[in-house]
Amino acid sequence: MQHNEDNEQIMLFDWAAAQSGKYPELSLLFHIPNGGKRNVREAARFKRMGVKAGVPDLFLPVPRGKFHGLFVELKSTKGKLSDYQRKWLSELAASGYAACVCFGFDEARRDILNYLEGKL
């Protein structure tokens, strides 16, 4: 359910703000508002503006090791990936980005910390 994903993401950004003293790079983490329900007219306008199905939810534009940055697809603990999302994650990984899917706040926090500490 989208509401659960929203809550997981809000918890993640609250955590990131609280940890930005230890990890200043977290202040660069941002949400890509590519999803959501829209009426047909608005969806068509957004598509013309460059919205693309499957783009991950979050981006941390901080290089680490061999990676240019980290993309995160955040799902609720019971969420599922779409084929579009799988394709984007695969293409981004092939292009030199760390790209992961995280089921819930705890996994997202873990993977972001692992990325920042060079463990991904």
Side-chain angles (χ1 to χ4, degrees), residues 65-104:
K66 65 180 182 175
F67 298 114
H68 305 304
L70 171 66
F71 281 94
V72 176
E73 177 59 38
L74 181 59
K75 295 291 188 187
S76 69
T77 55
K78 296 180 181 180
K80 294 183 178 161
L81 280 179
S82 72
D83 290 339
Y84 290 116
Q85 290 167 329
R86 281 187 192 85
K87 183 178 185 293
W88 269 99
L89 292 169
S90 177
E91 294 287 333
L92 289 165
S95 297
Y97 292 92
C100 60
V101 59
C102 298
F103 294 93

Side-chain angles (χ1 to χ4, degrees), residues 1-116:
M1 195 170 243
Q2 186 66 34
H3 179 69
N4 290 334
E5 277 185 30
D6 291 352
N7 289 339
E8 299 288 336
Q9 189 164 308
I10 289 167
M11 288 183 352
L12 184 67
F13 274 89
D14 287 347
W15 165 82
Q19 293 298 310
S20 64
K22 183 174 182 179
Y23 299 98
E25 305 94 324
L26 287 174
S27 66
L28 297 174
L29 180 67
F30 64 91
H31 169 63
I32 301 166
N34 226 25
K37 302 286 184 201
R38 297 183 176 92
N39 66 47
V40 174
R41 186 176 172 149
E42 186 178 33
R45 184 171 65 88
F46 273 64
K47 186 173 182 179
R48 290 181 66 207
M49 291 172 59
V51 167
K52 297 186 180 197
V55 172
D57 297 309
L58 309 172
F59 184 51
L60 182 60
V62 175
R64 279 294 182 277
K66 65 180 182 175
F67 298 114
H68 305 304
L70 171 66
F71 281 94
V72 176
E73 177 59 38
L74 181 59
K75 295 291 188 187
S76 69
T77 55
K78 296 180 181 180
K80 294 183 178 161
L81 280 179
S82 72
D83 290 339
Y84 290 116
Q85 290 167 329
R86 281 187 192 85
K87 183 178 185 293
W88 269 99
L89 292 169
S90 177
E91 294 287 333
L92 289 165
S95 297
Y97 292 92
C100 60
V101 59
C102 298
F103 294 93
F105 162 75
D106 290 325
E107 283 188 17
R109 177 184 57 194
R110 179 201 64 211
D111 285 359
I112 290 169
L113 285 175
N114 282 340
Y115 178 78
L116 288 174

